[in-house]
Amino acid sequence: MQISLDRRNAGSPPVYRQIAAQIRARIEAGELDAGDRLPAIRDLARTLGVNRDTVALAYDALATEGSLESTVGRGTFVREPTRPGPPLEPPELRLSPLVDGLLEFERARPHYGGAADAIGFHSLVPEPSLYPVAAFRRSVNRVLAEGGGELLLYGDRQGHPGLREVLAERFAQQGMRVTAQDLTLCQGASQGIALALRLFTRPGDAVAVEEPTYTNVLAALRSLGLVPVPVPMEERGPDLEILERVLARPEVKLLYTIPTFHNPLGTTTPRAHRRELLAVAARAGTPVVEDAYEMDLRFEGAEVAPLAALDGQGLVVHLYSLSKSLFPGARVGAITARGRAVEGLRALRQATDLGGSPLLQAAVAELVASGGYDRHLLQLRRTLKRRIRTLLEALESEMPGEVRFTRPQGGYQVWVELPGSVDTRELLADAMRAGVLFAPGAAFAHDGRRSSGLRLTVAQTDEETIRRGVGILAKVVQTSLRSGVRGSSVQL
């Protein structure tokens, strides 16, 4: 085998690499075929005038890359080239058990992707036609002109001071005794929930929740390794006798409640019941997370003071959001707390996302301070009042007489309770085929149990569409009642 070695040039590769490279070149050129035997190490070393170890290193390098193969007692041979096989599958990475549990929860949720043209009573996301786009654009332009590049930096971990000031003023009008220093801004009530849960719990703890309750709080509990403990809802609010027993359990560290325009029920807890609830929490020494995500959306009836305004002991952490009253893309909300809880929220916010967007927060502050937000709310409340009234009238006229439903004084949602024979999770498939979407009651239960309840929203439906959709849904319900599908109901 003819091999030329360059030993004089100091920049030349090591000799064993020169040997390996020339053998490889002959294999690639077809001068050496699969199965051809190479010279023995001793013979090639003698021919080239090099140490035997040098040739051995060259052969080993070629064997490692798959060009040669050696057999003891037989010698070294050119190897049959490996044919490319199917691409390797990526390794299946092991996820956290908490994430696996969350994925299981997500798979159990209703999926509406295949019914894009259906009438959407299922969503709580306001349609874009309701957004004050022009007014918000003007606010963005004004704050950018004044603040410039400073608004494009990372923000204060507690949030934009101007927005905290204007929100604190609004909360004071609701009877809450707070200052801007008590507020920590967050990206909507959903992030507020996650931060509040982390503030008071650790994996394995339990949290008292109303039954039914907001679906995403159940997801947040799963993601943090927390256990939901249900407290049944009555007409006035959570059952206080059961709540007292639940909060007496040492593993229950927190109560999550939605006293105003409850999701999914749409109901509002009366003031007296709120005071009793706070008394129960105070006896147990349990913090209360009040989700006031729709507090700005009352369109009739007298205002009811938030729990945070009735709280004299600092138990309540109050969550506020502009996602439903303004638009979700701003990702602006606020958490109101007292004492060390405020410090804890600052630290959590810093560790989570460095404080959010100063530009969006400043623009929302300008919109609120200029009166643009209140002008928008006036129009939005009128729209919601018309839509909810149309929905209630349609339910009254179209649904079978045994169907019951709530009559909210604000917000987007109405809870409908069908006779106990109907499982709304199964009913949803029939409704989707007929062209109507809703949220089945099972989605709001801590264990996903069968339910004869369902939530209807008016976030994406005008009056004409509401009438048509309820008419379609009523026919689906009547057909289901005749078939006698079993289910279970929620106490109201």
Side-chain angles (χ1 to χ4, degrees), residues 414-448:
V414 170
W415 179 261
V416 179
E417 192 69 38
L418 305 179
S421 62
V422 178
D423 178 0
T424 54
R425 185 169 41 193
E426 297 180 9
L427 185 74
L428 177 60
D430 296 332
M432 289 177 69
R433 285 191 289 270
V436 175
L437 308 179
F438 61 80
F444 307 99
H446 76 287
D447 55 2

Side-chain angles (χ1 to χ4, degrees), residues 306-359:
L307 291 176
L310 304 174
D311 172 30
Q313 302 190 38
L315 292 172
V316 176
V317 172
H318 179 273
L319 306 182
Y320 173 81
S321 174
L322 288 139
S323 295
K324 304 298 185 288
S325 57
L326 188 58
F327 42 75
R331 306 310 301 132
V332 174
I335 314 172
T336 303
R338 301 185 196 176
R340 292 189 66 232
V342 178
E343 298 177 28
L345 288 168
R346 290 174 189 158
L348 283 171
R349 193 74 210 275
Q350 177 76 12
T352 301
D353 64 357
L354 301 178
S357 166
L359 173 60

Side-chain angles (χ1 to χ4, degrees), residues 220-239:
L221 292 173
R222 285 249 187 169
S223 71
L224 295 172
L226 303 173
V227 180
V229 180
V231 179
M233 285 292 287
E234 300 179 314
E235 185 174 352
R236 295 186 306 153
D239 185 317

Side-chain angles (χ1 to χ4, degrees), residues 193 196-197 200-202 204-214 217-218 220-222 225-233 238-259 262 277 280-281 284-291 307 317 319 444-446:
I193 289 169
L197 292 174
F200 297 108
T201 64
R202 60 183 177 182
D205 286 342
V207 174
V209 297
E210 295 158 341
E211 183 92 303
T213 193
Y214 176 41
V217 79
L218 299 174
L221 292 173
R222 285 249 187 169
L226 303 173
V227 180
V229 180
V231 179
M233 285 292 287
D239 185 317
L240 296 180
E241 290 186 10
I242 295 179
L243 177 63
E244 187 140 29
R245 293 198 295 270
V246 167
L247 297 190
R249 294 165 51 176
E251 72 272 20
V252 176
K253 307 298 184 184
L254 184 67
L255 166 64
Y256 170 82
T257 179
I258 316 172
H262 186 277
L277 181 149
V280 170
T286 304
V288 178
V289 173
E290 177 186 19
D291 191 341
L307 291 176
V317 172
L319 306 182
F444 307 99
H446 76 287

Side-chain angles (χ1 to χ4, degrees), residues 24 26 90 179 311 338 444 482:
R24 184 187 303 110
R26 283 171 169 72
T179 69
D311 172 30
R338 301 185 196 176
F444 307 99
R482 287 194 294 269

Side-chain angles (χ1 to χ4, degrees), residues 58-74:
Y59 280 11
D60 286 345
L62 292 167
T64 299
E65 70 182 36
S67 298
L68 303 180
E69 57 183 351
S70 298
T71 303
V72 176
R74 293 187 60 234

